[in-house]
Each structure stands twice: as C-alpha cells, then as structure tokens.
Amino acid sequence: MELLHPIFKWLHIIAGITWIGLLYFFNFINGHVAATMDGDTKKKVVPELMPRTLYWFRWGAAWTWVTGVILLYVIFWAGSLSMGESAGNAMFAAETEVTMWAHIMLLITFVAVFLYDFIYKSPLAKNVRVATIVSFALIGCVVYCMKSCAGFEYRAINIHLGAMFGTMMAFNVWFRIWPAQQKIITAIKNGDEIDADDVALAGLRSKHNTYMSVPLIWTMIAAHTTGYEGLLFQCKGMVLLVVIALGWHIVFQFYKKSGKIQGF
C-alpha cells in the first residue's frame, strides 16, 4: 500500500491536470472564440479541433476518477471497513464504531450522481437560483450525515465529498457532454442544422463541471487543509460548505472575466 500510494497519487494529479485544464479551456476560452467564427470556419476547424481535445478531455476524466477510487481504497478503505473495525483507519477517530451509516455514506458518495442528474433534467433546473439552493442544501445534508451520523473525520469528509463531485463530473463528461458533442461536431461537419438541445445540454453540464471543479481541487489537497478543521463553530464540515460557496463565486467571476477578454 505504501508503494501504491505515491504512484497513484502522481497519476491522479497528471490525469486531473489534463482534465481540468481542458475544462477551463472549453469554458473560458474556446466558447468565446467559436462565437467569432463564421459557418465555413467552424466547418473546417471544429471537426479537427474538438475530437482531439475531447479525446484528452474524456480520458483525463476517466483516469482521474479511476486513480481517485484506487487512492480512496489505499488511504481510507483498505482492511478497515468491516463492521465495527476502525483501528488505523484515516476515516475515523480511534476506537470509533463503524456503523451501517458509514457504508450508507460511502454508497451515497457514488450514487448521488443519479439524484443530481434527475434534478437537472427536471423542471426545477429551469430556475437556476432555486436549483442552486437545493443543490447546496443537499450537499450540506451529505456533509452533516458524514460527520454526525457516519462519524467521518475531517479528511474523510473532505475527500469523499470530492469523490462525489468527481463522480458527477466524470458522469457528465462521458454520458452527457461527449454524446451531445458528437452530434454537434457531426452536424457542423456535414453542414446540417445543430440541435439546440444538444448545445444546451453540453453547455450546462460543462458549466456545472466548472463550478464543481474548484471545490474538488480543495478536496484533492485535503491532507494540507486540516488546519481549517473545526475552525467554524467547532464543526468539522462547516468550512467545506464555505469553500464550496466561495469556489462557486470564484467560478462565477471567472465566467464574467472570460467574456470581456478580446483578441487582437
């Protein structure tokens, strides 16, 4: 396990840089440049540029997720998740009883993506403010249950929240953004009319990934953020909610700035 830890963390970071770097390129640069292109230019550039960038984008997402799950096993799960065992486990304080809640929260970490997808395919998604408030409230519930019900330590809350975001983001890449982009690229290449629903879907889920990415990066450096544990109201999870809100605001400001930058 000690040998696997640094190797997979290294691979995890390389894959993450590839993925998130292209995510920011798409959202803060490429969209604004594409808006300046005429039809002939798009027909020439898009079928050459986008398949190449989306290849690295989606496989960066896949390998970030896979190596992240391996790291979760190596650092938090290995040999210590049998019911009632917690000795030496980074997830729990010493002698903490591992209850069914711990397993439920691990399950939620990876299945919350389906609730997310349901919410943003429902009529609720049309009201951005309400959908955002609901999303933030649900995240708050997850953090509370990890801390108060499952007994997770700060680092465990941190990294499992990141795993939840990362699962949602990887799902968006492979099952929402990539299929929609395939249709868009094919339509541009053939000179056909682009389906507005495909554009809206790819754009919305890419924007969601951008908003989730900043809090996700915080969770990826979880071991270095323990100084903030319990800083707010002596609550181990409260600072994470502040980081999420601050991260979302930072991305909002990035979007505003990206629209103002001009070419020569």
Side-chain angles (χ1 to χ4, degrees):
M1 291 302 173
E2 290 181 1
L3 293 176
L4 287 175
H5 184 176
I7 291 172
F8 279 97
K9 184 167 284 187
W10 180 50
L11 295 173
H12 186 60
I13 292 170
I14 292 171
I17 289 170
T18 303
W19 177 19
I20 302 302
L22 286 170
L23 176 67
Y24 292 166
F25 167 75
F26 285 137
N27 282 270
F28 300 141
I29 301 169
N30 184 69
H32 298 296
V33 174
T36 68
M37 297 179 185
D38 58 30
D40 290 338
T41 304
K42 283 185 179 180
K43 191 173 182 179
K44 181 178 180 180
V45 172
V46 170
E48 292 295 329
L49 174 66
M50 294 302 287
R52 288 179 169 89
T53 51
L54 286 166
Y55 173 87
W56 292 100
F57 180 65
R58 67 183 188 273
W59 284 109
W63 281 105
T64 303
W65 189 85
V66 169
T67 53
V69 172
I70 291 171
L71 285 171
L72 277 175
Y73 176 80
V74 170
I75 299 171
F76 290 95
W77 302 345
S80 298
L81 278 184
S82 297
M83 299 306 292
E85 297 180 10
S86 63
N89 192 310
M91 288 181 66
F92 304 100
E95 306 304 324
T96 299
E97 182 183 359
V98 181
T99 67
M100 183 61 71
W101 267 106
H103 295 267
I104 291 172
M105 295 317 297
L106 289 180
L107 181 63
I108 287 174
T109 297
F110 295 101
V111 302
V113 59
F114 299 110
L115 176 59
Y116 156 77
D117 191 53
F118 173 79
I119 289 172
Y120 283 97
K121 288 196 298 185
S122 72
L124 180 65
K126 294 179 181 178
N127 190 321
V128 175
R129 181 170 297 179
V130 172
T132 302
I133 292 171
V134 169
S135 298
F136 189 77
L138 289 171
I139 292 167
C141 290
V142 170
V143 170
Y144 174 83
C145 290
M146 284 182 176
K147 173 186 177 292
S148 300
C149 301
F152 285 9
E153 285 286 274
Y154 171 80
R155 281 186 61 194
I157 299 170
N158 209 331
I159 203 62
H160 285 85
L161 191 67
M164 186 178 77
F165 284 160
T167 300
M168 292 174 181
M169 292 168 66
F171 173 89
N172 278 340
V173 169
W174 278 92
F175 298 103
R176 295 296 177 257
I177 298 171
W178 172 233
Q181 284 288 357
Q182 285 178 291
K183 296 175 184 178
I184 293 167
I185 295 167
T186 301
I188 292 174
K189 182 178 180 180
N190 296 335
D192 299 331
E193 185 177 353
I194 301 172
D195 190 331
D197 290 340
D198 290 330
V199 175
L201 176 61
L204 178 66
R205 295 309 178 92
S206 186
K207 180 171 283 191
H208 286 177
N209 278 11
T210 306
Y211 274 98
M212 284 189 278
S213 69
V214 175
L216 173 66
I217 292 169
W218 174 274
T219 69
M220 290 175 72
I221 59 169
H224 305 286
T225 68
T226 53
Y228 294 92
E229 177 183 351
L231 203 60
L232 295 174
F233 312 111
Q234 298 301 308
C235 179
K236 294 177 181 178
M238 185 65 71
V239 70
L240 297 178
L241 298 179
V242 173
V243 167
I244 291 167
L246 179 60
W248 289 357
H249 180 71
I250 289 170
V251 174
F252 175 73
Q253 295 299 328
F254 281 179
Y255 271 111
K256 288 175 62 176
K257 180 65 177 178
S258 68
K260 297 176 182 177
I261 298 172
Q262 302 294 324
F264 290 110

